[in-house]
Amino acid sequence: ALIIGAFAERIKFSAVLLFSALWGTFCYFPVAHMVWDGAGLIFNWGAIDFAGGTVVHINAGVAALVGAIVIGPRIGLGKDMMAPHSMTLTLVGAGMLWVGWFGFNVGSNLEATAGATLAMINTFLATAAAALAWAAVEAMTRGKASMLGVASGIVAGLVAITPACGTIGPMGALILGVIASVICYFFVAVIKSKFGYDDSLDVFGIHGVGGIVGAIGVGFLSAPSMGGTGLFVESGSVIEQVIVQIKAVGVTVIWTGVISFILFKLVDMIVGLRVS
């Protein structure tokens, strides 16, 4: 569902279905095993990923970027008006997403304990902070905030808190939400146009980048000195935890980047990617 947003309006339905089945098998399952299985590579490094920052967001975000580049931009990009056709439905969707996100972030605790409560409040605070931060940055850079921007900020906050919500404190969640929102805004507003790739719904700029910010930030913010519940690396050192988080991000980016590229090319050979 995330990946499709990057090349909406220009890919064949048959290509989406074939790619989705292949990507789930060769990208999602291996990364989920590495991160969450007790015998997994990244799990055994001591990396923290509570609800899927690497497994879902970086994994899908990088695949989305690869897809947008391989498939090419929409016809009329930069010349035709391509605003959302209904701001109302965009915000309905953002609201449903925020509510649903409590399900998988809090649900990742697997039991109704204080750990679930921590994940709940962190998911709420990071998202609220990110929405306000996006609106503030937009107002400063463009002269006024927009509701589309607020919706983008909401998603950026939700993504960033996903790997971190079980191990950082509420103040850490506020900090992470603000930082992620500002960095995602920069990627959406500056980097995308500079490099010219057509990521229709900013999947890489928000999910990919937000996931990276959250996955690395959790290494700092999980430390008890920062209000967190503790680190996963044996030494308990913040620097070591952050290095492990960066390694986990690196493995995910390389794995999904290379495999996704191969799969897109394979699907292009079998059924073709673009609509005529």
Side-chain angles (χ1 to χ4, degrees):
L2 294 185
I3 297 169
I4 290 167
F7 39 68
E9 303 193 314
R10 58 195 191 273
I11 191 170
K12 289 182 181 178
F13 187 55
S14 56
V16 168
L17 295 180
L18 180 57
F19 176 79
S20 298
L22 291 169
W23 189 86
T25 306
F26 295 105
C27 278
Y28 181 81
F29 293 150
V31 176
H33 162 74
M34 283 191 270
V35 172
W36 285 328
D37 189 326
L41 176 73
I42 293 171
F43 182 92
N44 285 315
W45 286 345
I48 302 170
D49 188 355
F50 189 76
T54 48
V55 180
V56 179
H57 299 288
I58 299 172
N59 209 358
V62 172
L65 176 64
V66 171
I69 292 168
V70 170
I71 295 163
R74 286 167 287 181
I75 294 167
L77 181 74
K79 296 189 284 290
D80 300 342
M81 180 67 169
M82 291 185 177
H85 82 281
S86 168
M87 237 358 272
T88 310
L89 284 179
T90 300
L91 291 166
V92 168
M96 290 171 71
L97 200 66
W98 192 341
V99 173
W101 219 283
F102 290 123
F104 80 76
N105 271 11
V106 182
S108 292
N109 195 62
L110 304 179
E111 51 186 354
T113 59
T117 312
L118 182 67
M120 180 92 178
I121 193 68
N122 283 343
T123 300
F124 185 77
L125 288 175
T127 308
L132 290 171
W134 195 295
V137 173
E138 208 170 38
M140 287 187 280
T141 54
R142 295 184 176 175
K144 65 175 183 177
S146 70
M147 286 312 293
L148 182 64
V150 168
S152 300
I154 286 169
V155 181
L158 289 168
V159 168
I161 198 62
T162 295
C165 59
T167 54
I168 71 174
M171 287 305 295
L174 289 170
I175 293 165
L176 189 62
V178 170
I179 292 170
S181 195
V182 171
I183 294 174
C184 288
Y185 179 86
F186 176 71
F187 269 82
V188 167
V190 179
I191 298 292
K192 183 168 80 162
S193 54
K194 185 169 182 177
F195 285 93
Y197 57 88
D198 182 17
D199 179 356
S200 313
L201 304 179
D202 296 311
V203 181
F204 175 70
I206 293 177
H207 288 276
V209 173
I212 291 168
V213 172
I216 295 172
V218 68
F220 292 103
L221 296 169
S222 294
S225 59
M226 297 292 286
T229 62
L231 301 169
F232 284 19
V233 292
E234 286 180 16
S235 68
S237 142
V238 172
I239 300 301
E240 277 192 43
Q241 186 69 58
V242 171
I243 290 168
V244 164
Q245 298 302 125
I246 292 169
K247 277 168 61 182
V249 168
V251 167
T252 308
V253 168
I254 293 165
W255 182 274
T256 189
V258 171
I259 304 271
S260 298
F261 179 77
I262 293 167
L263 294 180
F264 277 118
K265 288 295 187 184
L266 189 64
V267 170
D268 198 19
M269 279 161 35
I270 297 169
V271 295
L273 286 171
R274 274 195 87 117
V275 291
S276 61

